[in-house]
Amino acid sequence: MSPVHQDRSADAAVAALESLPAPGAAEPSGVAVGFVPGRTLPFGVEVRRQLKRRRTQFTLGFMVLLPIILAIAFAVGDGDGGGGRSGSTRASIVDLAQNGAGNFAMVTMIFSASFLLIVVISLFFGDTIASEASWSSLRYLLAMPVPRMRLVRQKVLVAGALSILAILLLPVTAMILGGILYGFGPLSTPVGDQLDFAATVFRLGVVVVFMILQLSWVAGLAFLLSVSTDAPLGAVGGAVLLTILSQILDQIDALGDIRNFLPTHYSFAWTGTLSDPIRWDDMVRGSFAGVAYALIFFGLGILKFRRKDITS
């Protein structure tokens, strides 16, 4: 081919276009022959893509690092906690954590359940759609085309898998580290009962399952905010702030029975695993409330995304 432009880059572009294969056959609807919507955006591809992101690596890494930080703090901290009643309470928590692997894992969950896990779940779900919109890649994903509902499903599944992995990493790391530092002795409950290692692992499993179910409402709320804004930080921050607001309202006794309908009212119902026998009543209520709110928020988010103008 003889040059057609004095600009060599233009000649290279023309040559590249001429070397492209002929367009493939298309169905009457315009869809390429052999196109299968169910094969777009595979789960494994999206997982690998998310795992390569710095925020995912830092988040999962911090879930492993937190028990180490707590162990160092317990080792170098002042045992009397500064004196006074509050100091003796902190000292008792530290003493309880150092009784064995199970106690250390339970105390780690106490320190992280009210805020850290909420931030982690909000981060993974609040970043799902909003990040793609902020990068201007959402319109290209849907124009590939990836069906809208499949895009939502794959994004939610990956965010859920990463959230569950983060929730699991925390007690597992704490259990292993606690065993190395304090031994794998029996779990000591606040009332003085002793539970063997098998019972401890079972109860930690119950705690993890409860937290996954109860905090599902945070995932739904973050997802709803994610499809409502193009700013990932706004979706994540909004979910965290609304959760804190619910926690504050739950502390106001004047609200009476209204507090029972707040999604955070049963946040610490998992402490029922520390009694013998396990207190299931509040955990069942908390799980049901969390899943119910999650279904509402996810439903609203899906409805909004189906009508969302991705070109705006």
Side-chain angles (χ1 to χ4, degrees):
M1 182 191 71
S2 58
V4 296
H5 303 89
Q6 294 183 357
D7 185 357
R8 293 188 178 182
S9 61
D11 295 335
V14 171
L17 289 173
E18 290 179 346
S19 65
L20 291 175
E27 297 178 356
S29 62
V31 178
V33 174
F35 172 74
V36 181
R39 294 182 180 177
T40 56
L41 197 64
F43 179 81
V45 172
E46 182 63 16
V47 167
R48 289 192 294 272
R49 178 169 170 264
Q50 294 299 325
L51 287 176
K52 291 179 180 179
R53 296 185 60 186
R54 293 294 185 187
R55 60 93 163 153
T56 304
Q57 296 170 359
F58 286 147
T59 301
L60 297 179
F62 185 75
M63 303 305 283
V64 175
L65 186 63
L66 178 61
I68 300 175
I69 296 175
L70 290 178
I72 295 174
F74 293 159
V76 303
D78 184 4
D80 61 14
R85 183 173 180 179
S86 60
S88 62
T89 301
R90 287 193 293 268
S92 64
I93 292 177
V94 172
D95 293 338
L96 182 66
Q98 295 175 330
N99 280 345
N103 290 81
F104 183 70
M106 286 291 187
V107 170
T108 301
M109 300 303 287
I110 291 174
F111 285 142
S112 59
S114 62
F115 185 74
L116 175 62
L117 295 182
I118 292 170
V119 173
V120 170
I121 294 175
S122 298
L123 177 64
F124 286 133
F125 280 90
D127 196 55
T128 49
I129 304 298
S131 63
E132 298 291 352
S134 67
W135 298 332
S136 299
S137 58
L138 181 60
R139 67 190 68 179
Y140 300 109
L141 279 173
L142 296 177
M144 288 174 50
V146 178
R148 287 199 179 206
M149 294 310 300
R150 179 169 177 81
L151 175 69
V152 168
R153 187 186 72 181
Q154 298 300 90
K155 289 286 188 180
V156 168
L157 287 177
V158 171
L162 293 176
S163 298
I164 292 174
L165 176 60
I167 295 175
L168 283 172
L169 277 175
L170 192 60
V172 170
T173 304
M175 194 75 173
I176 295 173
L177 181 62
I180 295 173
L181 297 177
Y182 313 121
F184 292 93
L187 173 67
S188 301
T189 68
V191 296
D193 294 331
Q194 300 286 321
L195 302 174
D196 59 25
F197 184 75
T200 301
V201 172
F202 171 74
R203 292 176 187 237
L204 273 174
V206 172
V207 171
V208 170
V209 172
F210 170 77
M211 286 189 170
I212 292 172
L213 295 176
Q214 206 283 320
L215 293 176
S216 61
W217 78 271
V218 179
L221 176 60
F223 171 75
L224 174 59
L225 295 176
S226 183
V227 302
S228 303
T229 179
D230 294 345
L233 184 60
V236 176
V240 174
L241 288 176
L242 289 174
T243 303
I244 294 174
L245 175 62
S246 178
Q247 292 174 344
I248 293 174
L249 292 176
D250 190 43
Q251 302 300 316
I252 302 177
D253 295 335
L255 292 177
D257 293 338
I258 296 177
R259 296 183 301 163
N260 296 335
F261 297 95
L262 293 173
T264 56
H265 184 68
Y266 297 101
S267 298
F268 281 91
W270 60 269
T271 55
T273 59
L274 296 177
S275 62
D276 194 17
I278 297 176
R279 294 184 57 184
W280 296 97
D281 49 355
D282 282 348
M283 284 195 289
V284 172
R285 295 188 188 98
S287 299
F288 177 80
V291 173
Y293 276 107
L295 291 175
I296 294 173
F297 290 140
F298 276 117
L300 292 175
I302 291 173
L303 182 63
K304 186 174 183 62
F305 187 69
R306 287 174 64 94
R307 302 176 179 178
K308 185 179 180 67
D309 181 11
I310 63 168
T311 62
S312 61

